[in-house]
Amino acid sequence: MMTSITALSPAKINLLLKVMRKREDGYHELYSVMQPVTLYDNITIDAGQGAGITIECRHAELPVDRANLAYRAAELFLDRAGAKKRLSITIEKKIPVGAGLGGGSSNAATVLMALNTLLAAGLGEKELMEMGARLGSDVPFFILKGPALATGRGEVIERIKLPGCHYILINPGFQVSTAWVYGRLGLTKNLENNTLTYSYQAFDGCAEIRDRLFNDLEQVTAARYPEVSRLKEMLMENGAAGALMSGSGPTVFGLFEEHGSAARAFEAIRPRLDAASSIFLVQGVEGPTGAPDGPA
Ligand code: C5P
């Protein structure tokens, strides 16, 4: 049996995020179009005899204990699979943390899928998604490995087709708490009036995506951090067809139909950002991604 596996863990952006209502359990009912993008963390898992999970990550702000969702994913998987193993998980972090890009959820999903392969546990996609939903609302989406429509609290996932448009992601270098943003939402938005039901319309091209870019959480984060609106303006001034904050932020993205215009905007914007910010030129992933690369 193989003892080591390496897998890519992609970031996501929300092209559409409508908050429908606050639920009795405290979560919010969502309607969201989620797009994985070609910005990846790299995860390696080594399995050995014995017990205990260790996480190694050269990132100052990332916990390496149970507070790390990847740790809890490994713990849950071993428990569910009834496996006794010593696991050493190395996370090479490229996705900004606390950024609205789903990095932590993606890492957790990648750990579940990689362990399923590494330990030959044979769990199906549905079981992995159920496990993922216990870890966080965004985790099941990353099990699907492709564009999706997310409803419920974000954990009810339906595969959709999205055109592979180009995106520039800009992260201003500070973290925003998802719970804080949802908590403030009720103060700025009357959710009772938002009882519309949505039926999914296909996004056939980048122009359709542009016309429907929307995020209910943006007003909350942008009101506290004016940087969000400033970065969106910078993207629009540099030729983006549309710009939006992703998830609970603070990362914003610009949409581009062609690689050439995205690359030009990237070169123009990059020198104007401060040292704390990061910028990425990525593409929307159309099909399965982040699958374990196989034995190392
Ligand atoms: O599910 P997850 O642990 O990622 O959610 C983090 C926090 O975000 C929750 O504790 C909740 O405050 C908020 N949240 C929400 N509605 C959702 C998803 C998250 O209110 N659909």
Side-chain angles (χ1 to χ4, degrees):
M1 187 192 278
M2 62 174 124
T3 57
S4 179
I5 191 165
T6 294
L8 292 174
S9 179
K12 60 82 181 161
I13 54 177
N14 302 80
L15 301 176
L16 175 69
L17 198 169
K18 290 289 298 176
V19 179
M20 307 305 290
R21 62 179 178 91
K22 187 167 180 186
R23 314 194 318 190
E24 284 69 42
D25 63 4
Y27 282 91
H28 291 77
E29 195 75 13
L30 304 181
Y31 182 96
S32 185
V33 174
M34 299 175 78
Q35 166 73 77
V37 294
T38 55
L39 167 64
Y40 303 98
D41 291 340
N42 219 301
I43 298 187
T44 301
I45 307 179
D46 292 290
Q49 296 309 316
I53 299 164
T54 53
I55 300 225
E56 196 182 311
C57 181
R58 285 173 212 261
H59 191 291
E61 284 144 76
L62 217 70
V64 292
D65 56 11
R66 281 197 91 247
N68 190 314
L69 211 53
Y71 184 105
R72 294 213 292 282
E75 198 174 46
L76 182 63
F77 192 92
L78 289 183
D79 187 44
R80 173 69 187 274
K84 277 209 163 41
K85 287 282 175 198
R86 183 180 50 75
L87 297 178
S88 154
I89 303 172
T90 307
I91 306 175
E92 219 178 284
K93 206 79 199 149
K94 295 210 186 69
I95 306 172
V97 173
L101 296 173
S105 305
S106 175
N107 291 174
T110 301
V111 165
L112 294 178
M113 292 185 286
L115 285 176
N116 196 33
T117 304
L118 185 66
L119 306 179
L123 298 185
E125 186 179 84
K126 191 163 168 276
E127 288 161 291
L128 292 172
M129 281 191 181
E130 276 166 15
M131 248 192 262
R134 289 175 55 184
L135 296 162
S137 308
D138 278 351
V139 180
F141 160 72
F142 288 104
I143 303 282
L144 189 79
K145 296 189 286 184
L149 177 66
T151 53
R153 62 179 168 92
E155 92 287 20
V156 181
I157 300 296
E158 187 187 323
R159 189 182 293 281
I160 58 172
K161 272 200 177 336
L162 287 177
C165 311
H166 301 269
Y167 300 94
I168 291 179
L169 316 182
I170 309 179
N171 176 263
F174 53 85
Q175 298 190 30
V176 171
S177 151
T178 302
W180 179 84
V181 174
Y182 277 105
R184 301 280 306 174
L185 183 67
L187 306 175
T188 56
K189 187 177 157 68
N190 184 356
L191 295 175
E192 305 329 308
N193 288 340
N194 195 19
T195 48
L196 292 168
T197 46
Y198 279 77
S199 60
Y200 179 71
Q201 295 166 268
F203 290 68
D204 294 324
C206 300
E208 276 93 353
I209 293 183
R210 175 202 62 208
D211 291 345
R212 282 153 64 200
L213 290 176
F214 184 81
N215 182 351
D216 264 326
L217 303 179
E218 187 180 272
Q219 55 177 321
V220 180
T221 310
R224 170 71 177 79
Y225 302 102
E227 192 71 357
V228 167
S229 309
R230 209 178 63 76
L231 292 174
K232 280 179 66 183
E233 277 162 29
M234 199 188 275
L235 284 160
M236 295 305 287
E237 284 163 13
N238 283 279
L244 192 72
M245 187 182 83
S246 179
S248 49
T251 305
V252 298
F253 63 88
L255 165 73
F256 296 84
E257 211 153 327
E258 285 156 19
H259 178 262
S261 54
R264 279 192 296 279
F266 180 81
E267 293 307 332
I269 294 170
R270 189 164 55 166
R272 294 174 52 197
L273 298 175
D274 59 28
S277 305
S278 45
I279 179 166
F280 306 93
L281 177 56
V282 301
Q283 200 173 350
V285 173
E286 292 176 67
T289 176
D293 292 335

